[in-house]
Amino acid sequence: MLPRFLERLRQQADNLAGLLGNRVALFGIELQEESERLLGHLALLLGAAICTLFCLLSAVVAGLVLAARYGVLLEVCATLAVLFLLLALGLAWYLRRRLADAPEPFEATRQEFERDRLALNGARETAQ
């Protein structure tokens, strides 16, 4: 009786170790995917910021040169400030929308752990 119990206990421990190994591997894959996605967001953000900076710098210099020439410097500065604000709001809206549409991190791992928990609870209830 006792050797059979110990054999079943060893099998259960072996199954549990295999199950945990699979879940850890899945977590590692999802962690890698999340880090790649985050790096993609950051690269896009950095690229957009650099391009926007160069574009705005050129536009500001050109606008200020023209404004000084025609005597409307204050109006041009106010217009540029409004345009910068609209551009910043547009970029922030796009990034917020992109992050809101992104998948939940580690969703597959959490679902697998939930399935395991339900299966173990079902097996425990059946044994009682």
Side-chain angles (χ1 to χ4, degrees):
M1 176 77 178
L2 187 60
R4 195 168 123 200
F5 173 75
L6 291 176
E7 179 61 27
R8 286 186 61 103
L9 186 61
R10 188 195 62 73
Q11 285 176 342
Q12 291 296 329
D14 188 41
N15 290 341
L16 186 60
L19 191 68
L20 286 175
N22 289 340
R23 299 314 178 244
V24 168
L26 178 61
F27 178 77
I29 291 169
E30 286 190 305
L31 181 62
Q32 183 179 5
E33 288 174 355
E34 287 298 317
S35 64
E36 288 174 5
R37 191 173 58 81
L38 180 61
L39 284 175
H41 288 312
L42 291 175
L44 282 174
L45 182 62
L46 182 62
I50 289 171
C51 291
T52 303
L53 179 65
F54 284 132
C55 178
L56 294 178
L57 182 61
S58 299
V60 166
V61 169
L64 292 177
V65 168
L66 285 173
R69 184 174 182 186
Y70 292 108
V72 289
L73 192 57
L74 184 59
E75 291 87 352
V76 169
C77 286
T79 303
L80 287 174
V82 169
L83 289 176
F84 290 157
L85 177 64
L86 291 175
L87 181 63
L89 290 174
L91 288 172
W93 173 80
Y94 174 72
L95 183 61
R96 184 170 186 239
R97 180 173 208 163
R98 181 179 167 134
L99 290 173
D101 293 341
E104 190 74 25
F106 311 112
E107 182 63 29
T109 299
R110 285 190 297 206
Q111 288 176 358
E112 287 300 318
F113 275 124
E114 182 63 20
R115 278 192 222 127
D116 295 344
R117 186 184 68 79
L118 291 174
L120 290 174
N121 283 342
R124 195 175 308 145
E125 289 173 6
T126 314
Q128 292 176 356

